Amino acid sequence: MAAVLSAVPKPLPIDLPYMPLVKQPLPAGRPREFYIMHNRRLKAMRLAIALLDSGVLRAEQANNRKIRSTAELVGVHQPSDITCHMVRALMRYSR
């Protein structure tokens, strides 16, 4: 027997509203630089995802002004130049 395909497309999970995960505390006892870099990487990932969702598909299209305006839209504090560089690096190396 052949399975019948329905003509009604199923909704994608991406269309669902964004719900952040429950945050867990980071392990204590690490140097301060570890926590700074950890938070910077998380911010860069959030911004890279937001840029990709908004249609900026290449790192060359994401200048500092575009990244900072996206951060404002998403509700993230204004990123530093280092974080903007990390966002472009994430977008470049994800291919």
Side-chain angles (χ1 to χ4, degrees), residues 18-33:
Y18 171 73
M19 293 294 296
L21 298 173
V22 177
K23 293 185 179 180
Q24 296 179 356
L26 291 172
R30 302 255 174 114
R32 186 176 185 331
E33 289 300 317

Side-chain angles (χ1 to χ4, degrees), residues 20-91:
L21 298 173
V22 177
K23 293 185 179 180
Q24 296 179 356
L26 291 172
R30 302 255 174 114
R32 186 176 185 331
E33 289 300 317
F34 168 80
Y35 302 108
I36 292 171
M37 284 304 294
H38 175 78
N39 290 330
R40 185 170 279 155
R41 284 185 192 115
L42 289 178
K43 182 188 277 190
M45 278 193 284
R46 281 189 208 107
L47 290 172
I49 290 168
L51 284 166
L52 291 169
D53 287 344
S54 70
V56 178
L57 300 177
R58 300 183 67 205
E60 296 81 28
Q61 297 171 327
N63 56 17
N64 287 358
R65 193 171 76 204
K66 180 71 174 173
I67 293 171
R68 289 185 174 124
S69 66
T70 303
E72 210 173 289
L73 288 173
V74 175
V76 177
H77 286 288
Q78 185 176 12
S80 65
D81 290 341
I82 296 170
T83 306
C84 291
H85 179 74
M86 289 177 77
V87 169
R88 284 188 291 276
L90 281 171
M91 292 176 74

